[in-house]
Amino acid sequence: MTPPAPATPAPDRAAFWRGRRVLLTGHTGFKGAWLALWLLRLGADVTGFALAAPPTALYAKARLDDHVASLLGDVRDPDAVTRAVRAADPQVLLHLAAQPLVRRSYAEPVATYATNVMGTVHLLDAARAAAPRLEAAVVVTSDKCYDNRDPAHAPAGGYREDAPLGGGDPYSSSKGAAELVTAAYRSSFFSAPGTARVATARAGNVIGGGDHAEDRLVPDLVRAIAAGRPVALRHPDAIRPWQHVLDCLDGYLTLAERLAADQSHRLAGAYNFGPPPEDARTVAWIADRLCAAWGDGASWRADPGPHPAEAHTLRLDSTRAHQELGWRPRWDLPQALDRIVAWHRADAAGADAREFTLGQLAAFAA
């Protein structure tokens, strides 16, 4: 069945972003660096606010400091956040800054809540007071914001946006709380005519070249291959909705574009941006295919632990994004894995990370 047309006409992407003032938090992170490159390619006027990037990060390798007005600071500092919002004077706000790792949240629960919950409060509060030109704000949370502690009761088609929020670990519950914070600010301060349209974005398990985080599958695999050892998988049977980083970022851009055009506030709310159902695969399936694509004897082994608890199965239902925004994922999982292997092989061979990343972005956007 053909889905309904999106609620607002699709704008010309390049025309929309050209010259638009954007505040991008978390621009030095994995997703943030990819998004900064994309926004710059579209001609946006990008200000970034984040912690400093290590020299091994994609942000540094892609020389983004030469092109982004980078403001270093911590979202846990409300004064620094307010200064950044005032300096950027944004028309669009894309909030990606976060503590993004489940396992780290067990070791640093206070920092996780301070960053993911209060950081969101600080940003939205600054936006309502110090961003008079703001048209649209997209707050990025996580597919793990859902109350997914009992796989037996998980919806067969995946979680929809109206499912209960929660989480049994500090990271997941902090993302559920960030959703509640955003909903409260939207209702209280961003619902009247003329105010910015505010939405949240819940992406799947995002993978792509340039990710160097600890305790994530692809970078763990790349490090293990470089060290000549098998990658250790904590939960090889866990099922996740895997997607290439550019597919989820395409969702964030699409959402911001539609929000800016939606004077009625009808599109303000929560959206899942996940892969098609067949791309919800086990960790072992991903590792098998990455190892096969890489070659050179790459392999994995199960790590019996003990490990902190994580949900066994997670799937997203992205019907709302399909029907109301006209968004669809472009690269299936085999394509995504091929692009990831190509990126990391090029990086290991000394290729120019900026040019190679822009090349993959151009291929995606073609």
Side-chain angles (χ1 to χ4, degrees), residues 259-297:
L259 288 171
D262 175 36
Q263 297 294 330
S264 70
H265 289 251
R266 196 189 72 80
L267 294 179
Y271 292 85
N272 289 334
F273 294 102
E278 61 269 22
D279 285 347
R281 297 284 189 170
T282 66
V283 170
W285 190 97
I286 298 292
D288 282 340
R289 275 143 188 84
L290 275 172
C291 289
W294 196 285
D296 298 335

mmCIF file of all heavy atoms in Angstrom, residues 259-297:
data_model
loop_
_atom_site.group_PDB
_atom_site.id
_atom_site.type_symbol
_atom_site.label_atom_id
_atom_site.label_comp_id
_atom_site.label_asym_id
_atom_site.label_seq_id
_atom_site.Cartn_x
_atom_site.Cartn_y
_atom_site.Cartn_z
ATOM 1 N N LEU A 259 9.859 20.643 10.039
ATOM 2 C CA LEU A 259 9.451 21.446 11.186
ATOM 3 C C LEU A 259 9.501 22.937 10.861
ATOM 4 O O LEU A 259 8.598 23.700 11.238
ATOM 5 C CB LEU A 259 10.363 21.163 12.378
ATOM 6 C CG LEU A 259 10.220 19.812 13.082
ATOM 7 C CD1 LEU A 259 11.349 19.648 14.093
ATOM 8 C CD2 LEU A 259 8.868 19.675 13.760
ATOM 9 N N ALA A 260 10.541 23.355 10.183
ATOM 10 C CA ALA A 260 10.684 24.777 9.880
ATOM 11 C C ALA A 260 9.531 25.287 9.019
ATOM 12 O O ALA A 260 9.139 26.454 9.127
ATOM 13 C CB ALA A 260 12.017 25.025 9.180
ATOM 14 N N ALA A 261 8.978 24.403 8.182
ATOM 15 C CA ALA A 261 7.879 24.797 7.298
ATOM 16 C C ALA A 261 6.505 24.642 7.942
ATOM 17 O O ALA A 261 5.503 25.059 7.374
ATOM 18 C CB ALA A 261 7.936 23.972 6.008
ATOM 19 N N ASP A 262 6.459 24.043 9.129
ATOM 20 C CA ASP A 262 5.187 23.659 9.757
ATOM 21 C C ASP A 262 4.758 24.689 10.795
ATOM 22 O O ASP A 262 4.973 24.517 11.994
ATOM 23 C CB ASP A 262 5.339 22.274 10.397
ATOM 24 C CG ASP A 262 4.099 21.848 11.169
ATOM 25 O OD1 ASP A 262 2.982 22.170 10.716
ATOM 26 O OD2 ASP A 262 4.260 21.210 12.224
ATOM 27 N N GLN A 263 4.148 25.770 10.359
ATOM 28 C CA GLN A 263 3.725 26.829 11.281
ATOM 29 C C GLN A 263 2.650 26.355 12.257
ATOM 30 O O GLN A 263 2.443 26.952 13.313
ATOM 31 C CB GLN A 263 3.207 28.030 10.486
ATOM 32 C CG GLN A 263 4.254 28.686 9.601
ATOM 33 C CD GLN A 263 5.367 29.332 10.408
ATOM 34 O OE1 GLN A 263 5.165 29.784 11.529
ATOM 35 N NE2 GLN A 263 6.562 29.370 9.833
ATOM 36 N N SER A 264 1.978 25.266 11.936
ATOM 37 C CA SER A 264 0.887 24.775 12.783
ATOM 38 C C SER A 264 1.370 24.004 14.007
ATOM 39 O O SER A 264 0.587 23.702 14.898
ATOM 40 C CB SER A 264 -0.033 23.866 11.974
ATOM 41 O OG SER A 264 0.627 22.641 11.665
ATOM 42 N N HIS A 265 2.642 23.633 14.035
ATOM 43 C CA HIS A 265 3.201 22.784 15.100
ATOM 44 C C HIS A 265 2.666 21.354 15.033
ATOM 45 O O HIS A 265 2.881 20.575 15.967
ATOM 46 C CB HIS A 265 2.917 23.351 16.499
ATOM 47 C CG HIS A 265 3.698 24.592 16.798
ATOM 48 N ND1 HIS A 265 4.736 24.640 17.694
ATOM 49 C CD2 HIS A 265 3.596 25.860 16.310
ATOM 50 C CE1 HIS A 265 5.222 25.863 17.774
ATOM 51 N NE2 HIS A 265 4.550 26.617 16.930
ATOM 52 N N ARG A 266 1.982 20.975 13.969
ATOM 53 C CA ARG A 266 1.404 19.640 13.912
ATOM 54 C C ARG A 266 2.466 18.548 13.883
ATOM 55 O O ARG A 266 2.258 17.442 14.400
ATOM 56 C CB ARG A 266 0.514 19.509 12.667
ATOM 57 C CG ARG A 266 -0.435 18.310 12.712
ATOM 58 C CD ARG A 266 -1.137 18.088 11.390
ATOM 59 N NE ARG A 266 -0.224 17.576 10.386
ATOM 60 C CZ ARG A 266 0.138 16.295 10.303
ATOM 61 N NH1 ARG A 266 -0.291 15.426 11.207
ATOM 62 N NH2 ARG A 266 0.957 15.890 9.359
ATOM 63 N N LEU A 267 3.603 18.844 13.293
ATOM 64 C CA LEU A 267 4.647 17.835 13.161
ATOM 65 C C LEU A 267 5.558 17.766 14.383
ATOM 66 O O LEU A 267 6.397 16.868 14.466
ATOM 67 C CB LEU A 267 5.483 18.111 11.910
ATOM 68 C CG LEU A 267 4.749 17.970 10.579
ATOM 69 C CD1 LEU A 267 5.681 18.303 9.430
ATOM 70 C CD2 LEU A 267 4.179 16.569 10.413
ATOM 71 N N ALA A 268 5.414 18.689 15.309
ATOM 72 C CA ALA A 268 6.241 18.641 16.515
ATOM 73 C C ALA A 268 5.891 17.389 17.311
ATOM 74 O O ALA A 268 4.719 17.064 17.501
ATOM 75 C CB ALA A 268 6.017 19.892 17.354
ATOM 76 N N GLY A 269 6.900 16.664 17.752
ATOM 77 C CA GLY A 269 6.667 15.420 18.480
ATOM 78 C C GLY A 269 7.865 14.510 18.374
ATOM 79 O O GLY A 269 8.989 14.964 18.152
ATOM 80 N N ALA A 270 7.643 13.212 18.520
ATOM 81 C CA ALA A 270 8.724 12.223 18.514
ATOM 82 C C ALA A 270 8.676 11.399 17.234
ATOM 83 O O ALA A 270 7.593 11.085 16.725
ATOM 84 C CB ALA A 270 8.598 11.301 19.729
ATOM 85 N N TYR A 271 9.871 11.039 16.740
ATOM 86 C CA TYR A 271 9.980 10.246 15.516
ATOM 87 C C TYR A 271 11.047 9.177 15.660
ATOM 88 O O TYR A 271 12.154 9.448 16.141
ATOM 89 C CB TYR A 271 10.356 11.141 14.322
ATOM 90 C CG TYR A 271 9.260 12.098 13.927
ATOM 91 C CD1 TYR A 271 9.138 13.329 14.571
ATOM 92 C CD2 TYR A 271 8.348 11.782 12.936
ATOM 93 C CE1 TYR A 271 8.127 14.214 14.240
ATOM 94 C CE2 TYR A 271 7.336 12.667 12.590
ATOM 95 C CZ TYR A 271 7.228 13.878 13.241
ATOM 96 O OH TYR A 271 6.220 14.753 12.909
ATOM 97 N N ASN A 272 10.706 7.966 15.214
ATOM 98 C CA ASN A 272 11.692 6.904 15.054
ATOM 99 C C ASN A 272 12.299 6.990 13.658
ATOM 100 O O ASN A 272 11.588 7.179 12.670
ATOM 101 C CB ASN A 272 11.043 5.525 15.195
ATOM 102 C CG ASN A 272 10.619 5.198 16.603
ATOM 103 O OD1 ASN A 272 11.181 5.721 17.569
ATOM 104 N ND2 ASN A 272 9.630 4.336 16.746
ATOM 105 N N PHE A 273 13.611 6.806 13.585
ATOM 106 C CA PHE A 273 14.301 6.694 12.303
ATOM 107 C C PHE A 273 15.095 5.398 12.332
ATOM 108 O O PHE A 273 16.273 5.376 12.710
ATOM 109 C CB PHE A 273 15.223 7.894 12.071
ATOM 110 C CG PHE A 273 14.483 9.198 11.921
ATOM 111 C CD1 PHE A 273 14.430 10.097 12.975
ATOM 112 C CD2 PHE A 273 13.846 9.514 10.740
ATOM 113 C CE1 PHE A 273 13.752 11.301 12.841
ATOM 114 C CE2 PHE A 273 13.158 10.718 10.600
ATOM 115 C CZ PHE A 273 13.113 11.608 11.651
ATOM 116 N N GLY A 274 14.430 4.312 11.966
ATOM 117 C CA GLY A 274 15.069 3.011 12.013
ATOM 118 C C GLY A 274 15.142 2.362 10.647
ATOM 119 O O GLY A 274 14.542 2.829 9.679
ATOM 120 N N PRO A 275 15.867 1.253 10.559
ATOM 121 C CA PRO A 275 16.010 0.544 9.290
ATOM 122 C C PRO A 275 14.783 -0.302 8.999
ATOM 123 O O PRO A 275 13.893 -0.453 9.853
ATOM 124 C CB PRO A 275 17.229 -0.339 9.548
ATOM 125 C CG PRO A 275 17.106 -0.675 11.008
ATOM 126 C CD PRO A 275 16.582 0.581 11.650
ATOM 127 N N PRO A 276 14.700 -0.889 7.801
ATOM 128 C CA PRO A 276 13.607 -1.824 7.526
ATOM 129 C C PRO A 276 13.712 -3.041 8.437
ATOM 130 O O PRO A 276 14.788 -3.337 8.970
ATOM 131 C CB PRO A 276 13.807 -2.191 6.051
ATOM 132 C CG PRO A 276 15.221 -1.864 5.754
ATOM 133 C CD PRO A 276 15.581 -0.710 6.642
ATOM 134 N N PRO A 277 12.610 -3.765 8.626
ATOM 135 C CA PRO A 277 12.612 -4.881 9.582
ATOM 136 C C PRO A 277 13.701 -5.906 9.333
ATOM 137 O O PRO A 277 14.273 -6.462 10.287
ATOM 138 C CB PRO A 277 11.217 -5.492 9.401
ATOM 139 C CG PRO A 277 10.370 -4.381 8.892
ATOM 140 C CD PRO A 277 11.272 -3.529 8.044
ATOM 141 N N GLU A 278 14.031 -6.163 8.068
ATOM 142 C CA GLU A 278 15.028 -7.204 7.776
ATOM 143 C C GLU A 278 16.440 -6.798 8.203
ATOM 144 O O GLU A 278 17.347 -7.636 8.240
ATOM 145 C CB GLU A 278 15.025 -7.546 6.287
ATOM 146 C CG GLU A 278 15.362 -6.390 5.360
ATOM 147 C CD GLU A 278 14.130 -5.615 4.903
ATOM 148 O OE1 GLU A 278 13.088 -5.691 5.595
ATOM 149 O OE2 GLU A 278 14.223 -4.943 3.861
ATOM 150 N N ASP A 279 16.651 -5.525 8.528
ATOM 151 C CA ASP A 279 17.968 -5.087 8.972
ATOM 152 C C ASP A 279 18.102 -5.046 10.488
ATOM 153 O O ASP A 279 19.108 -4.549 11.004
ATOM 154 C CB ASP A 279 18.304 -3.719 8.375
ATOM 155 C CG ASP A 279 18.683 -3.806 6.905
ATOM 156 O OD1 ASP A 279 18.915 -4.934 6.422
ATOM 157 O OD2 ASP A 279 18.744 -2.763 6.236
ATOM 158 N N ALA A 280 17.117 -5.573 11.205
ATOM 159 C CA ALA A 280 17.273 -5.821 12.644
ATOM 160 C C ALA A 280 17.924 -7.199 12.774
ATOM 161 O O ALA A 280 17.278 -8.233 12.563
ATOM 162 C CB ALA A 280 15.938 -5.773 13.356
ATOM 163 N N ARG A 281 19.205 -7.224 13.058
ATOM 164 C CA ARG A 281 20.005 -8.447 13.035
ATOM 165 C C ARG A 281 20.753 -8.614 14.354
ATOM 166 O O ARG A 281 20.890 -7.684 15.140
ATOM 167 C CB ARG A 281 21.027 -8.375 11.898
ATOM 168 C CG ARG A 281 20.431 -8.292 10.510
ATOM 169 C CD ARG A 281 19.904 -9.642 10.057
ATOM 170 N NE ARG A 281 19.510 -9.633 8.653
ATOM 171 C CZ ARG A 281 19.203 -10.718 7.967
ATOM 172 N NH1 ARG A 281 19.247 -11.903 8.564
ATOM 173 N NH2 ARG A 281 18.843 -10.641 6.701
ATOM 174 N N THR A 282 21.269 -9.832 14.549
ATOM 175 C CA THR A 282 22.052 -10.088 15.747
ATOM 176 C C THR A 282 23.437 -9.465 15.627
ATOM 177 O O THR A 282 23.949 -9.214 14.524
ATOM 178 C CB THR A 282 22.215 -11.588 16.011
ATOM 179 O OG1 THR A 282 23.000 -12.169 14.962
ATOM 180 C CG2 THR A 282 20.873 -12.293 16.110
ATOM 181 N N VAL A 283 24.047 -9.253 16.772
ATOM 182 C CA VAL A 283 25.419 -8.760 16.817
ATOM 183 C C VAL A 283 26.344 -9.728 16.072
ATOM 184 O O VAL A 283 27.233 -9.312 15.315
ATOM 185 C CB VAL A 283 25.867 -8.587 18.283
ATOM 186 C CG1 VAL A 283 27.357 -8.311 18.379
ATOM 187 C CG2 VAL A 283 25.071 -7.467 18.949
ATOM 188 N N ALA A 284 26.130 -11.040 16.260
ATOM 189 C CA ALA A 284 26.971 -12.028 15.587
ATOM 190 C C ALA A 284 26.834 -11.948 14.072
ATOM 191 O O ALA A 284 27.815 -12.115 13.332
ATOM 192 C CB ALA A 284 26.610 -13.438 16.068
ATOM 193 N N TRP A 285 25.622 -11.704 13.570
ATOM 194 C CA TRP A 285 25.405 -11.582 12.119
ATOM 195 C C TRP A 285 26.222 -10.426 11.565
ATOM 196 O O TRP A 285 26.884 -10.545 10.524
ATOM 197 C CB TRP A 285 23.916 -11.356 11.848
ATOM 198 C CG TRP A 285 23.495 -11.446 10.412
ATOM 199 C CD1 TRP A 285 22.963 -12.531 9.784
ATOM 200 C CD2 TRP A 285 23.540 -10.386 9.435
ATOM 201 N NE1 TRP A 285 22.681 -12.227 8.470
ATOM 202 C CE2 TRP A 285 23.026 -10.920 8.229
ATOM 203 C CE3 TRP A 285 23.965 -9.062 9.456
ATOM 204 C CZ2 TRP A 285 22.926 -10.161 7.056
ATOM 205 C CZ3 TRP A 285 23.889 -8.308 8.288
ATOM 206 C CH2 TRP A 285 23.370 -8.852 7.114
ATOM 207 N N ILE A 286 26.194 -9.279 12.265
ATOM 208 C CA ILE A 286 26.970 -8.119 11.824
ATOM 209 C C ILE A 286 28.461 -8.445 11.855
ATOM 210 O O ILE A 286 29.199 -8.151 10.898
ATOM 211 C CB ILE A 286 26.678 -6.909 12.718
ATOM 212 C CG1 ILE A 286 25.200 -6.506 12.622
ATOM 213 C CG2 ILE A 286 27.580 -5.738 12.357
ATOM 214 C CD1 ILE A 286 24.788 -5.953 11.291
ATOM 215 N N ALA A 287 28.916 -9.039 12.945
ATOM 216 C CA ALA A 287 30.339 -9.341 13.070
ATOM 217 C C ALA A 287 30.786 -10.323 11.993
ATOM 218 O O ALA A 287 31.874 -10.179 11.417
ATOM 219 C CB ALA A 287 30.629 -9.902 14.455
ATOM 220 N N ASP A 288 29.975 -11.343 11.707
ATOM 221 C CA ASP A 288 30.318 -12.311 10.658
ATOM 222 C C ASP A 288 30.534 -11.611 9.321
ATOM 223 O O ASP A 288 31.507 -11.881 8.607
ATOM 224 C CB ASP A 288 29.205 -13.349 10.505
ATOM 225 C CG ASP A 288 29.233 -14.421 11.585
ATOM 226 O OD1 ASP A 288 30.292 -14.605 12.216
ATOM 227 O OD2 ASP A 288 28.184 -15.071 11.790
ATOM 228 N N ARG A 289 29.631 -10.722 8.977
ATOM 229 C CA ARG A 289 29.714 -10.071 7.665
ATOM 230 C C ARG A 289 30.811 -9.020 7.602
ATOM 231 O O ARG A 289 31.450 -8.855 6.565
ATOM 232 C CB ARG A 289 28.348 -9.501 7.296
ATOM 233 C CG ARG A 289 27.495 -10.582 6.656
ATOM 234 C CD ARG A 289 26.038 -10.516 7.022
ATOM 235 N NE ARG A 289 25.356 -11.715 6.513
ATOM 236 C CZ ARG A 289 25.330 -12.884 7.168
ATOM 237 N NH1 ARG A 289 25.956 -13.018 8.309
ATOM 238 N NH2 ARG A 289 24.688 -13.918 6.643
ATOM 239 N N LEU A 290 31.031 -8.327 8.684
ATOM 240 C CA LEU A 290 32.145 -7.390 8.700
ATOM 241 C C LEU A 290 33.480 -8.127 8.589
ATOM 242 O O LEU A 290 34.376 -7.708 7.853
ATOM 243 C CB LEU A 290 32.114 -6.555 9.974
ATOM 244 C CG LEU A 290 31.230 -5.310 9.959
ATOM 245 C CD1 LEU A 290 31.163 -4.697 11.347
ATOM 246 C CD2 LEU A 290 31.745 -4.284 8.960
ATOM 247 N N CYS A 291 33.595 -9.223 9.308
ATOM 248 C CA CYS A 291 34.841 -10.001 9.243
ATOM 249 C C CYS A 291 35.054 -10.573 7.842
ATOM 250 O O CYS A 291 36.172 -10.547 7.304
ATOM 251 C CB CYS A 291 34.817 -11.125 10.274
ATOM 252 S SG CYS A 291 34.980 -10.566 11.997
ATOM 253 N N ALA A 292 33.988 -11.089 7.229
ATOM 254 C CA ALA A 292 34.102 -11.643 5.877
ATOM 255 C C ALA A 292 34.476 -10.551 4.877
ATOM 256 O O ALA A 292 35.312 -10.765 3.986
ATOM 257 C CB ALA A 292 32.793 -12.311 5.480
ATOM 258 N N ALA A 293 33.857 -9.364 5.010
ATOM 259 C CA ALA A 293 34.160 -8.273 4.089
ATOM 260 C C ALA A 293 35.577 -7.759 4.282
ATOM 261 O O ALA A 293 36.240 -7.351 3.320
ATOM 262 C CB ALA A 293 33.152 -7.140 4.280
ATOM 263 N N TRP A 294 36.052 -7.784 5.504
ATOM 264 C CA TRP A 294 37.391 -7.292 5.777
ATOM 265 C C TRP A 294 38.454 -8.275 5.301
ATOM 266 O O TRP A 294 39.477 -7.880 4.746
ATOM 267 C CB TRP A 294 37.553 -7.028 7.269
ATOM 268 C CG TRP A 294 38.749 -6.182 7.577
ATOM 269 C CD1 TRP A 294 40.059 -6.559 7.568
ATOM 270 C CD2 TRP A 294 38.748 -4.794 7.893
ATOM 271 N NE1 TRP A 294 40.863 -5.502 7.879
ATOM 272 C CE2 TRP A 294 40.085 -4.400 8.086
ATOM 273 C CE3 TRP A 294 37.732 -3.849 8.067
ATOM 274 C CZ2 TRP A 294 40.439 -3.099 8.427
ATOM 275 C CZ3 TRP A 294 38.084 -2.561 8.406
ATOM 276 C CH2 TRP A 294 39.415 -2.199 8.573
ATOM 277 N N GLY A 295 38.211 -9.577 5.527
ATOM 278 C CA GLY A 295 39.218 -10.566 5.177
ATOM 279 C C GLY A 295 40.383 -10.533 6.141
ATOM 280 O O GLY A 295 40.245 -10.142 7.312
ATOM 281 N N ASP A 296 41.558 -10.938 5.680
ATOM 282 C CA ASP A 296 42.790 -10.905 6.473
ATOM 283 C C ASP A 296 42.656 -11.670 7.781
ATOM 284 O O ASP A 296 43.305 -11.344 8.776
ATOM 285 C CB ASP A 296 43.210 -9.460 6.778
ATOM 286 C CG ASP A 296 43.517 -8.659 5.535
ATOM 287 O OD1 ASP A 296 43.864 -9.275 4.506
ATOM 288 O OD2 ASP A 296 43.390 -7.418 5.579
ATOM 289 N N GLY A 297 41.789 -12.700 7.795
ATOM 290 C CA GLY A 297 41.653 -13.513 8.991
ATOM 291 C C GLY A 297 40.861 -12.891 10.110
ATOM 292 O O GLY A 297 40.907 -13.377 11.256
#
